[in-house]
Every structure is written in structure tokens, then in C-alpha cells.
Amino acid sequence: MFGNSNGKEADAGQAHTLISRTTEVTGDIRFSGELIVEGRVCGNIYAEDQSNAVVRVAESGRVEGEIAVPSVVINGRVTGDVRSARHIELAAKAVVDGDVYYNLIEMVMGSEVNGKLLHVSGPETETAKQADPEDRPLYSPESGAAAGETAG
């Protein structure tokens, strides 16, 4: 009755979720599709690195926890690390109190990061989630190469 003729859900996997200005969520969120945060999230926000997931933290939005999503757009406040496998955009009123792990970053004048900016690429993003970059050696005496390089 409400579905299409072949019985499959329209836009399967492309869910859109809104946390409104008057809403506070306590606990971790795992999602796919698009998540828009206009309210407050006290917990971590996760999506699979291989997905097309995007989280948008609006100007009124607040996140107290880690964000680990392939595409991230921030114009509100995040207290915690932000990890993005694909793209992160920090808009004019963005404030991040934590480290930002990015593959591609766009920062507009006025955005603020109170932490480190750390570039990661592709498969290294998953490694960065599991290990602090300061714990990885910068030089490997066995191979004679810097970390991430191959000798030879």
C-alpha cells in the first residue's frame, strides 16, 4: 500500500535522522545515511568507514563524545575527537575541543580546533581509530624507513 510496486523500500540504506534543538540523546549512536544534530548528544557517533554516511552538527548542535563518520560537517560544538575517512568541513561557527583525524579537510575562516589536526589516508583511518598516533614509532630501525614507508 505505501511501498513501491516491487516491494522494496525506497532509498534503502539512505535513512535521514534529525535530533532537534529540544532533544538530548544520551548514549552512543550508530547510523547510516544522514544524521543532523541540532540538539545535544552525550555519547559517541559512529558509522562504517565504507558507507556514504554523513553527520551534520548544526550551529545549535552540541556533541560530547567522539565522532567517527566518513563525512562530517560541523557548525556547532564538538567536545571530543573527530575522525573522518573521507571529508570533514568545519563551518564558520564550528568549535572542536579535541583532535581531528582527516583525509580531506575544509576549514572556513572563524572555525576553531582546540587540539591536533592529523592527516590520515584510506586504510590508515581504521588504524588511527584503534591506536593513538603518538604510540606508533616514527622510525623503524629494522627496515630503516619512517613509519608508513617501505624500505627498498
Side-chain angles (χ1 to χ4, degrees), residues 8-53:
K8 292 184 180 178
E9 185 178 319
D11 293 322
Q14 296 299 317
H16 301 283
T17 304
L18 170 66
I19 298 173
S20 70
R21 290 177 187 225
T22 59
T23 303
E24 180 176 322
V25 175
T26 302
D28 293 351
I29 299 173
R30 285 196 180 276
F31 76 101
S32 61
E34 181 178 28
L35 172 64
I36 301 168
V37 179
E38 292 182 354
R40 184 174 175 197
V41 174
C42 296
N44 301 319
I45 300 175
Y46 299 114
E48 295 297 322
D49 277 351
Q50 297 76 23
S51 71
N52 289 324

Side-chain angles (χ1 to χ4, degrees), residues 59-121:
E59 185 177 340
S60 61
R62 302 289 178 263
V63 176
E64 297 172 15
E66 176 182 80
I67 296 176
V69 178
S71 295
V72 180
V73 179
I74 299 172
N75 197 29
R77 182 177 211 87
V78 176
T79 305
D81 292 349
V82 179
R83 302 171 192 278
S84 172
R86 250 187 239 122
H87 174 260
I88 182 167
E89 179 182 331
L90 301 176
K93 297 192 177 180
V95 177
V96 177
D97 293 317
D99 295 341
V100 176
Y101 299 83
Y102 67 94
N103 183 20
L104 179 66
I105 190 168
E106 180 179 347
M107 292 181 71
V108 175
M109 186 168 47
S111 59
E112 182 179 324
V113 175
N114 300 311
K116 299 179 206 166
L117 292 175
L118 300 154
H119 181 263
V120 293
S121 59

